[in-house]
Amino acid sequence: DAVLWLLVLLPLTTPLLLASLSLKAASMQSPLFVYSVGMLLVAAAWIGKKDGWLGLFLGWHALALLWTPTISAFETVEMLTLSALGIAAVRALPEDRRRLAPALLVGLGLFQVAYGAQQMLGYNVLWSGLHPINPVYAPIGTLGNSNYYGLFLAAIAPLAPWWALPFFLGGVLASKSFVAIAAVTCALGWQHRRQVPPRFWAAFGLAAVLAVAEWRGSLFLNGLESRWDIWTQGLSMMHGWSWLIGHGPGSWAGDIPNAQLAAQNSAVLTFNKVWVSLEAHNEWIQALYETGSLSLALILGWLWRHRKALEERYEGSWLAMFIGSWGTFGFRLAVTGILFVALIGLGTPGRTSEK
């Protein structure tokens, strides 16, 4: 029905200045704008038939495009919609494929551990062949950043058999990421709570943090200080209705860097003078800034609906994703986002939202 309504509506939007201030351009751009938002709402409704809260979350983001018609906004909403379709596809996997999925994910994690190890030894085969490279601060695997690398391993580690855990823990420690250490410690502590006393994992986490703090030296608190600065700056720009509906999908990447540079009186984007924050390094604060408390309520509603449906095998991985979301932006990256899509789909198979 929605598609048929779009068929009736689109020819009537040509004189409207929805996507351009030029009447000539609007005759083509306005129908395209309405069509794009309309089809994203159709996709949200289709997904909502099997997962109501997820459908509402997508629908709210699609509606927000009406007052935030920017390229960044469309990219953000399209990414969310494609990710939701990916979750639906994973949920539809036949049972034999689902049984193989944990082994596949563990294999991918071990590959990253091995690739990171050869980087620590002074090589980067896929990029530099067998020619030695300069020493690396921390391994990045094939993921592009040591924090992404650590979070990727932390999310898979709870699925690993006991013999593989030392490799995953070694990889997380080598990443020097405190967020990844916290994520893997809590995730493994929860996943293996019946076999290993919690105090063991607490002691491991504390020892790991102290070891990496010594390893990082003067850089120990740099990440936390930088994150705190951008979090407070983002929240200071919240006023009135923005607390409810936000500034629009994808708005952080445009608003916050400009505010940072203005505060520093700098006209040039530089990571030497200003740590320009294209992402909040906190999924919850960025969601609040972009789409308001309403989107947070929809996320919490989705989590509450799925609390009893989550398969026990994936509880640790979900906890790692949750903890990581407070200090990184793994859901917004392709290399970690596709892993999270798989873990969400595998952890909530079928029509779980009705339970």
Side-chain angles (χ1 to χ4, degrees):
D1 290 347
V3 175
L4 295 177
W5 276 110
L6 281 176
L7 178 62
V8 174
L9 179 63
L10 289 181
L12 304 178
T13 62
T14 52
L16 303 178
L17 300 177
L18 297 177
S20 174
L21 295 179
S22 165
L23 282 173
K24 183 176 180 180
S27 65
M28 295 185 63
Q29 297 300 325
S30 294
L32 178 60
F33 175 63
V34 175
Y35 173 78
S36 299
V37 174
M39 291 306 293
L40 287 168
L41 286 171
V42 169
W46 181 79
I47 291 170
K49 288 184 176 181
K50 292 189 176 181
D51 195 328
W53 284 98
L54 182 57
L56 288 172
F57 180 73
L58 295 174
W60 168 238
H61 279 76
L63 285 174
L65 293 172
L66 295 175
W67 54 86
T68 320
T70 64
I71 294 175
S72 180
F74 271 94
E75 288 177 345
T76 300
V77 178
E78 287 167 0
M79 180 273 293
L80 285 173
T81 304
L82 291 173
S83 297
L85 291 172
I87 291 171
V90 173
R91 286 173 173 170
L93 285 173
E95 189 58 35
D96 58 334
R97 300 289 181 86
R98 299 181 67 84
R99 286 195 296 268
L100 291 175
L104 173 63
L105 294 177
V106 170
L108 292 174
L110 290 174
F111 168 77
Q112 292 297 332
V113 170
Y115 199 86
Q118 58 95 38
Q119 289 173 333
M120 297 289 287
L121 294 173
Y123 292 91
N124 198 347
V125 175
L126 291 180
W127 276 266
S128 304
L130 296 178
H131 301 286
I133 61 172
N134 294 327
V136 296
Y137 166 75
I140 63 175
T142 62
L143 306 178
N145 182 284
S146 59
N147 291 315
Y148 312 162
Y149 175 82
L151 184 60
F152 188 90
L153 297 180
I156 297 176
L159 301 174
W162 284 102
W163 63 265
L165 279 182
F167 298 104
F168 280 90
L169 292 174
V172 171
L173 289 174
S175 75
K176 300 182 183 179
S177 169
F178 290 121
V179 174
I181 291 172
V184 79
T185 300
C186 295
L188 291 175
W190 179 261
Q191 194 68 38
H192 300 293
R193 60 192 182 280
R194 297 185 182 89
Q195 296 86 15
V196 181
R199 62 179 178 274
F200 169 84
W201 295 110
F204 167 80
L206 178 60
V209 167
L210 293 176
V212 171
E214 178 66 24
W215 200 356
R216 291 175 62 163
S218 61
L219 299 176
F220 174 35
L221 293 176
N222 278 17
L224 178 59
E225 292 173 351
S226 300
R227 283 167 170 76
W228 183 260
D229 288 342
I230 60 172
W231 295 344
T232 54
Q233 183 156 24
L235 291 175
S236 70
M237 296 170 64
M238 301 289 291
H239 304 286
W241 280 100
S242 64
W243 286 102
L244 180 64
I245 65 174
H247 294 83
S251 57
W252 180 285
D255 295 350
I256 303 303
N258 289 330
Q260 287 180 287
L261 294 172
Q264 295 291 330
N265 296 317
S266 171
V268 180
L269 284 173
T270 168
F271 284 87
N272 295 324
K273 296 181 180 179
V274 185
W275 181 45
V276 178
S277 171
L278 298 177
E279 306 287 352
H281 292 71
N282 185 308
E283 300 281 8
W284 303 90
I285 290 179
Q286 187 159 347
L288 175 63
Y289 182 88
E290 294 186 351
T291 45
S293 56
L294 185 55
S295 70
L296 294 184
L298 293 172
I299 294 172
L300 293 175
W302 184 86
L303 289 171
W304 179 259
R305 173 66 75 177
H306 287 273
R307 71 192 187 283
K308 294 181 180 179
L310 177 60
E311 289 192 2
E312 185 176 1
R313 183 169 193 173
Y314 294 97
E315 288 179 353
S317 293
W318 275 43
L319 183 56
M321 292 189 291
F322 175 75
I323 293 174
S325 71
W326 289 92
T328 62
F329 48 98
F331 285 93
R332 299 171 187 269
L333 293 165
V335 289
T336 48
I338 186 61
L339 171 64
F340 295 172
V341 164
L343 290 171
I344 292 172
L346 291 167
T348 56
R351 198 176 175 83
T352 52
S353 63
E354 301 303 322
K355 293 186 179 181

